Amino acid sequence: MLTFVLRRLTFSIPVIFGIMIVTFALARAIPGDPCLAVLGERATPEICEAFARRNGLDQPVPVQLLIYMRNFAGGDLGDSLRFHRPVMELLVERLPTTVELGCFALLFAISIGVPIGVLSAYRHKSALDVGTMIGANIGVSMPVFWLGLMLAYLFAVLLKDTPLALPPSGRLTPGANPQPFYALWGWVVEGQEPAGILVFFSRINTLNALLTLNGELLVDALRHLILPAVAVGTIPLAIIARMSRSSVLEVLSQDYVRTARAKGLREGKVVGVHALRNALLPVITVIGLNFGLVISGAVLTETIFSLTGVGRTLVDSITSRDYTLVQGFTVVIAAGFVLINMVVDIMYGYLDPRIRFN
């Protein structure tokens, strides 16, 4: 297993560098001048010349690429042309929003999609089967922006001032200023800059609330997550439900399932242990792909619910020709996809002992 993980990590290095080169080239192929996009009417020829010189844009593109790759190898993703801040700092600030949203969206999709799919397969061709699959088809067909707006209208407008009312935007109630867990635990001396990894995890509000035992913060963060998580997770839920149904249907017709039933095992054990475990392989693949897509940025959902995450920042950086921000975020997203795919492969070996990693 360790050899497999190390081999996958080694193979991922040229993949990430290849993505970096392609992103670098495509970013500079976008029409428009980054100086004009950032400064607008204030951009004069003299100011733009100084802007290009300050940010290294006056160098030939191959030289810019070599400088960027050298800095990247040293852990430096550069400074944003638009925000004039290190890209790594912006990443630590905004990636937790997308990670938290993606985790809860997939948790919602898995906890509902898999049981629905299994139940639908077990009650094949029944009214329950037909109804759940119709619901799954509707779910996969609904645009995210429409669903997000409808959820916000329903729970923030129609149900306002009722126990079912939910906040339509933001991550926390305005004015909330939760104390980071590393400050509460005394991990950072006052006046000292905390490590980036500590800041990253402290910005995941639900995790920070659990680590600081702050129940009020946890409830507030969860209430703000419900609507965007449901909006993002509805399409993956429908896909997972359909995949679970088809996979379980195929497994239920296998000989070892009939043998288990002939031995007198309880139906719950036959379906839940013998059938479901072997049916989960394609479902795990779908879950991994959807999680990668969510982490890459739920742009529309982040815009509708006023969440400043990776997707929204990446789109804004493309329109403003912020090359370094586009490159840095894209490389990190690519690394996330590689990591998720590796986790999925490892889970294959756990679910199916016939799979061996050499």
Side-chain angles (χ1 to χ4, degrees):
M1 180 65 74
L2 180 60
T3 304
F4 166 76
V5 173
L6 292 176
R7 185 168 65 244
R8 285 295 301 269
L9 289 175
T10 302
F11 289 160
S12 67
I13 293 175
V15 173
I16 292 174
F17 272 96
I19 291 172
M20 183 195 307
I21 295 172
V22 172
T23 306
F24 193 93
L26 290 177
R28 281 152 179 76
I30 300 174
D33 187 347
C35 178
L36 296 175
V38 172
L39 300 179
E41 296 180 354
R42 296 176 297 160
T44 63
E46 294 78 14
I47 292 177
C48 284
E49 183 179 350
F51 179 90
R53 187 167 54 251
R54 183 172 62 253
N55 293 285
L57 300 177
D58 58 333
Q59 301 288 335
V61 173
V63 175
Q64 294 182 39
L65 176 59
L66 290 176
I67 294 173
Y68 182 77
M69 293 181 70
R70 182 193 63 193
N71 294 337
F72 179 83
D76 182 11
L77 297 180
D79 294 337
S80 168
L81 304 179
R82 179 185 178 193
F83 298 102
H84 307 292
R85 294 170 58 192
V87 172
M88 185 63 73
E89 183 179 308
L90 291 169
L91 195 64
V92 169
E93 179 183 295
R94 305 187 179 193
L95 183 58
T97 301
T98 304
V99 170
E100 187 174 40
L101 174 60
C103 289
F104 278 91
L106 262 295
L107 179 63
F108 164 72
I110 295 169
S111 60
I112 297 179
V114 173
I116 284 178
V118 173
L119 189 59
S120 181
Y122 185 67
R123 301 291 186 183
H124 184 47
K125 293 184 180 180
S126 67
L128 177 64
D129 180 23
V130 175
T132 53
M133 287 304 101
I134 290 175
N137 287 327
I138 294 174
V140 81
S141 304
M142 284 191 296
V144 174
F145 67 88
W146 179 86
L147 179 59
L149 290 173
M150 291 301 101
L151 288 172
Y153 177 71
L154 174 62
F155 287 95
V157 179
L158 296 183
L159 297 177
K160 186 179 180 181
D161 300 325
T162 69
L164 296 177
L166 292 171
S169 62
R171 300 182 66 199
L172 292 173
T173 301
N177 188 23
Q179 187 177 18
F181 68 89
Y182 57 81
L184 184 65
W185 293 357
W187 284 8
V188 178
V189 179
E190 186 176 354
Q192 181 181 350
E193 189 71 20
I197 191 68
L198 295 178
V199 177
F200 176 86
F201 285 112
S202 70
R203 290 183 181 274
I204 301 178
N205 291 323
T206 50
L207 177 62
N208 188 60
L210 291 173
L211 293 177
T212 57
L213 302 179
N214 190 336
E216 184 178 349
L217 173 62
L218 180 62
V219 172
D220 189 30
L222 290 175
R223 292 185 72 251
H224 281 79
L225 272 172
I226 291 175
L227 295 185
V230 170
V232 175
T234 297
I235 292 179
L237 186 155
I239 296 173
I240 291 170
R242 292 166 63 180
M243 180 60 70
S244 300
R245 174 182 178 272
S246 61
S247 185
V248 172
L249 269 178
E250 181 180 355
V251 171
L252 286 176
S253 62
Q254 299 296 317
D255 290 339
Y256 65 85
V257 174
R258 286 194 290 268
T259 302
R261 283 172 171 161
K263 290 169 63 178
L265 294 180
R266 291 182 292 106
E267 195 66 13
K269 189 172 184 179
V270 171
V271 177
V273 177
H274 293 273
L276 182 58
R277 180 167 180 173
N278 291 281
L280 278 179
L281 291 180
V283 178
I284 291 294
T285 303
V286 170
I287 292 173
L289 291 174
N290 279 279
F291 187 64
L293 292 174
V294 171
I295 294 300
S296 66
V299 182
L300 293 174
T301 306
E302 290 176 358
T303 303
I304 292 170
F305 294 99
S306 301
L307 302 173
T308 306
V310 167
R312 188 177 176 185
T313 303
L314 194 55
V315 170
D316 291 343
S317 63
I318 292 173
T319 56
S320 61
R321 312 296 189 274
D322 194 342
Y323 298 153
T324 51
L325 196 58
V326 172
Q327 292 157 192
F329 274 43
T330 303
V331 170
V332 171
I333 291 170
F337 263 98
V338 171
L339 180 62
I340 291 168
N341 287 332
M342 187 170 65
V343 171
V344 169
D345 288 344
I346 292 173
M347 291 186 69
Y348 282 170
Y350 172 75
L351 293 171
D352 190 348
R354 294 172 299 179
I355 299 177
R356 290 289 181 265
F357 301 112
N358 299 317

